[in-house]
Amino acid sequence: MPKLTETFSNKLPHAKAGTDKYWDAEIKGLVLFVGKRSKTWYFQKDVGGQTKRILIGRFPIISAQAARQTALGFALEMGRGAGKAAQIGAPTLEATMEVYLARPKLRSETNKVGMRAQLTLHLKDWMRLPLDEISKAMTVRRHHDMAGSPSAANHVLRSFRAIYNHARRTCDLPECPTMAIEWFEDKPDGRIIENLKHWRKTIDDLPNPIHRVFYELLLFTGLRKTEVFTLKWEQILEDRIHLPMTKNGRSFDLPISQLHHEILAPLRPLSSDWVFPSPKSETGHITRPVRLKYNPHMHRRTFATVAMEAGVLEEIVGRLLNHTPLSITGQRYTRPSLDALRPSMEIACNEILNRISK
């Protein structure tokens, strides 16, 4: 092991992958972590069978001489027993992510799978890094590198921020490094299906009956595409569709009418389990229906827009869409029944039918 002098530390090449560790020959416990872009001083020692790692600072902001003096101070503290209260090294992003995703109050399983997949894809090289080694410069650079997909860039780094801030509840960490990011302007896609008569012709021309019914059910319910993908016949009841878990982390019942049963009728003989079966899919149900110029979320926005234009109150439209109310009263006190929501569902569906026939 070398002596970690200023000259030696300065000449160390950055790691090509992961993190290289260099231990000092004279001061036991002093270690320099060398990553792909940064070099960081730590003091590390096993205390009571548990490894404790204390962040000293980044090189060259913290010189080798300063790091050595600080490490000597920690070694003395540890020797006297006072160091037992020292902070254990910060957890890695991967470990922190799994703890965050294990929270019972987090949204649906689909949401968890999606977040894990996105972070693993876009932040793969950060996964084994301790959180306190992920700097402001790194988050800014990664956000900039993803500028080609601004919405995805914002989403990924905001997910990282949520995970990091959750870890701060139990770990002594500085403010989240995403504070340095200048977020891209969020421009929500507000498009709806303007010409429902043309939509009807487009749907009728689809060769696959499963895809036809998929898009019809989207338009006449306002459900999210993943909620429709995963529907089982046991969830289709006489007066409602029951979703045991939704994006906002709770169950949801949507009132339905005879119209909805007529839409679903062609699929009844195809499977006793999935409403939208697919023998080629590993899941057993469709996951990628044929793409149209009317994307799935346009159907949801169209349902909401038509309902409001037909006279349904915005609060009621939000209930039909399973949105969380903004007011305390809406969140904690009011629980409208299915029978109370059913007339609004019928108004929305009748107006859609009228616009298709015009």
Side-chain angles (χ1 to χ4, degrees):
M1 291 187 294
K3 180 179 178 179
L4 299 180
T5 63
E6 191 79 11
T7 301
F8 180 85
S9 302
N10 196 47
K11 288 182 178 180
L12 284 175
H14 285 284
K16 293 182 179 179
T19 304
D20 295 331
K21 300 177 183 179
Y22 297 88
W23 299 86
D24 188 75
E26 294 182 355
I27 303 174
K28 189 175 181 180
L30 177 62
V31 57
L32 182 62
F33 281 33
V34 180
K36 290 199 290 187
R37 293 189 177 93
S38 64
K39 301 177 182 179
T40 309
W41 298 106
Y42 286 95
F43 178 79
Q44 183 172 311
K45 186 174 181 179
D46 289 341
V47 178
Q50 194 172 29
T51 298
K52 293 184 179 292
R53 184 189 303 154
I54 307 172
L55 173 67
I56 297 175
R58 293 192 181 277
F59 177 82
I61 297 174
I62 303 297
S63 67
Q65 182 180 359
R68 296 173 70 79
Q69 291 175 344
T70 303
L72 280 172
F74 284 140
L76 288 173
E77 291 294 308
M78 292 284 186
R80 296 203 310 265
K84 290 183 179 179
Q87 175 184 326
I88 300 174
T92 64
L93 174 57
E94 185 174 31
T96 310
M97 177 182 69
E98 293 305 326
V99 170
Y100 178 83
L101 293 178
R103 294 185 307 150
K105 291 185 178 181
L106 196 64
R107 295 175 174 180
S108 64
E109 191 62 31
T110 301
N111 183 261
K112 295 179 184 181
V113 171
M115 180 181 286
R116 183 184 290 110
Q118 276 207 317
L119 266 66
T120 303
L121 174 63
H122 296 289
L123 306 181
K124 182 179 180 180
D125 53 327
W126 293 5
M127 283 298 164
R128 295 188 179 182
L129 290 178
L131 290 180
D132 54 10
E133 289 189 27
I134 301 173
S135 66
K136 295 177 184 177
M138 290 168 66
T139 61
V140 170
R141 188 181 302 114
R142 186 56 49 87
H143 188 253
H144 181 267
D145 290 344
M146 296 178 64
S149 301
S151 178
N154 284 351
H155 186 74
V156 168
L157 272 301
R158 282 170 178 160
S159 294
F160 167 80
R161 180 179 63 186
I163 292 169
Y164 187 101
N165 286 336
H166 183 261
R168 292 186 74 197
R169 298 180 182 183
T170 54
C171 299
D172 293 329
L173 292 167
E175 190 169 358
C176 184
T178 56
M179 65 176 293
I181 291 176
E182 293 188 17
W183 303 100
F184 295 120
E185 182 182 356
D186 287 318
K187 297 180 180 179
D189 182 356
R191 293 176 299 159
I192 65 170
I193 303 170
E194 300 284 355
N195 190 332
L196 285 172
K197 190 169 185 178
H198 185 271
W199 170 87
R200 177 77 268 175
K201 184 179 185 307
T202 302
I203 298 303
D204 288 341
D205 289 341
L206 293 178
N208 190 324
I210 296 177
H211 295 174
R212 287 201 299 269
V213 175
F214 168 77
Y215 284 110
E216 283 184 300
L217 193 65
L218 282 179
L219 182 62
F220 283 92
T221 60
L223 290 171
R224 298 178 176 91
K225 65 177 182 181
T226 51
E227 294 169 345
V228 176
F229 283 155
T230 56
L231 274 178
K232 293 187 173 184
W233 286 115
E234 63 188 28
Q235 297 171 243
I236 310 296
L237 307 176
E238 182 64 30
D239 62 341
R240 66 189 184 276
I241 293 176
H242 174 69
L243 303 177
M245 180 61 70
T246 60
K247 183 178 179 181
N248 54 30
R250 59 172 179 258
S251 63
F252 175 60
D253 288 292
L254 180 73
I256 58 174
S257 64
Q258 182 60 31
L259 171 65
H260 298 97
H261 287 288
E262 291 173 2
I263 291 172
L264 292 169
L267 304 187
R268 281 284 183 183
L270 302 183
S271 170
S272 60
D273 190 14
W274 299 106
V275 176
F276 298 94
S278 174
K280 297 180 180 179
S281 172
E282 293 183 1
T283 61
H285 58 76
I286 64 172
T287 56
R288 293 184 179 181
V290 62
R291 296 184 66 175
L292 308 178
K293 71 175 185 177
Y294 311 114
N295 66 54
H297 213 69
M298 287 176 68
H299 291 68
R300 183 171 167 84
R301 285 193 294 268
T302 302
F303 172 86
T305 302
V306 171
M308 286 191 62
E309 291 178 349
V312 179
L313 295 176
E314 183 177 350
E315 166 69 15
I316 302 301
V317 174
R319 294 286 183 176
L320 292 174
L321 294 175
N322 193 26
H323 285 165
T324 301
L326 296 177
S327 68
I328 297 298
T329 302
Q331 290 178 26
R332 299 185 181 180
Y333 295 95
T334 58
R335 292 289 184 273
S337 66
L338 282 175
D339 288 337
L341 294 176
R342 195 177 309 284
S344 297
M345 170 62 82
E346 292 176 353
I347 289 172
C349 291
N350 288 336
E351 181 61 22
I352 292 171
L353 287 173
N354 288 337
R355 295 190 185 194
I356 288 174
S357 62
K358 287 182 180 179

